[in-house]
Amino acid sequence: MKVSDVMTPSVISLAPGDSMLKAARLMVQYGVSGFPVLTQGKLVGIITQGDFLRRAEIATERTHSTKVSVGQLAEEYTRAHGRKVGEVMTRDVVTVSPDACLEEAVVLMERARVKRLPVVKDRVLVGLINRVNLLHAFIVSSSEVAATPVSDVDIKDILTATLDVEPWAPHDPLNIVVKDGQVDLEGVISDERQRIALCVAAENTLGVKGVSEHLKLNPAAIG
């Protein structure tokens, strides 16, 4: 999937001259945690709920020691007292292209520790991708499709091939028994977390109807 496949294309935006009060009211009204800030269609910043955490109006502005620089003190004062979106917004915004894959978007979200990314093409905002969009993508990709008959032999071959390329899979061969789509796993593991991962791999194999396991933890790995 690409970002353009799951993003929200119609996005409410604010202008730098809009008031912080307007931004707060819109966040509450629409139940969203942030808005992109545009000037003539170009993305110039983003304003989020986090920008309201340290505000003079609610007596939560930061207190600093004398070790903080004058510049930082001035910046904190502006963020706590600024009345316009353009005075408080984050200007260095992490964005993503509509043609990027979802993996790239998720990496950017994790790296920047943000919940949403403006989707930009030629500096023009074309959408927004957030965690809810990713939830929708998960639901769509996980939706059940028409069952395709898979033989027990094919199930075993597919699962074996899957485990062969997984670095966490047990080094010792597993005994994989498949009967009428039911998979039973037997063998020795060195870590209890492998037990869950092996069952998950089996459950995700095409044609599998159920999974059971009789995996034993190597005594040498205990403790």
Side-chain angles (χ1 to χ4, degrees):
M1 286 188 184
K2 296 193 300 183
V3 168
S4 59
D5 295 327
V6 303
M7 71 180 189
T8 301
S10 299
V11 180
I12 299 173
S13 63
L14 293 169
D18 287 332
S19 70
M20 289 293 287
L21 181 57
K22 177 181 178 179
R25 283 174 172 168
L26 286 175
M27 287 180 191
V28 172
Q29 178 181 349
Y30 290 99
V32 297
S33 58
F35 294 109
V37 185
L38 307 182
T39 296
Q40 297 181 344
K42 306 288 186 180
L43 182 71
V44 294
I46 192 166
I47 191 82
T48 71
Q49 290 176 349
D51 295 314
F52 291 89
L53 294 179
R54 298 289 186 174
R55 293 292 302 183
E57 296 89 341
I58 55 176
T60 57
E61 56 186 316
R62 295 182 187 278
T63 55
H64 293 285
S65 67
T66 56
K67 295 181 180 181
V68 178
S69 69
V70 170
Q72 186 174 345
L73 287 171
E75 180 182 353
E76 291 290 349
Y77 178 86
T78 299
R79 294 185 66 82
H81 294 264
R83 295 190 177 187
K84 295 179 180 179
V85 168
E87 297 168 341
V88 181
M89 70 183 186
T90 299
R91 297 178 181 275
D92 186 14
V93 184
V94 178
T95 64
V96 68
S97 165
D99 297 323
C101 65
L102 292 188
E103 165 67 12
E104 181 178 343
V106 170
V107 168
L108 288 172
M109 284 184 184
E110 291 179 332
R111 188 178 299 162
R113 296 182 179 179
V114 295
K115 298 178 181 179
R116 73 200 60 76
L117 291 174
V119 184
V120 175
K121 185 173 184 179
D122 299 327
R123 292 192 60 198
V124 176
L125 183 74
V126 295
L128 193 74
I129 183 169
N130 55 32
R131 293 180 179 181
V132 175
N133 297 130
L134 294 173
L135 286 176
H136 285 306
F138 169 79
I139 292 170
V140 171
S141 62
S142 301
S143 297
E144 293 185 3
V145 295
T148 302
V150 181
S151 70
D152 291 342
V153 173
D154 287 340
I155 289 175
K156 182 176 181 178
D157 289 344
I158 294 170
L159 178 55
T160 300
T162 298
L163 296 177
D164 283 344
V165 298
E166 291 295 342
W168 53 261
H171 296 299
D172 295 328
L174 292 173
N175 182 25
I176 302 175
V177 178
V178 185
K179 184 176 182 181
D180 298 328
Q182 300 289 327
V183 176
D184 184 70
L185 303 171
E186 296 180 354
V188 178
I189 56 176
S190 58
D191 190 302
E192 276 294 343
R193 289 168 290 189
Q194 288 176 297
R195 187 187 308 276
I196 298 175
L198 286 167
C199 289
V200 169
E203 290 167 353
N204 285 329
T205 301
L206 187 65
V208 171
K209 299 176 182 178
V211 178
S212 59
E213 56 88 4
H214 298 86
L215 300 166
K216 296 181 180 179
L217 183 63
N218 185 350
I222 299 176

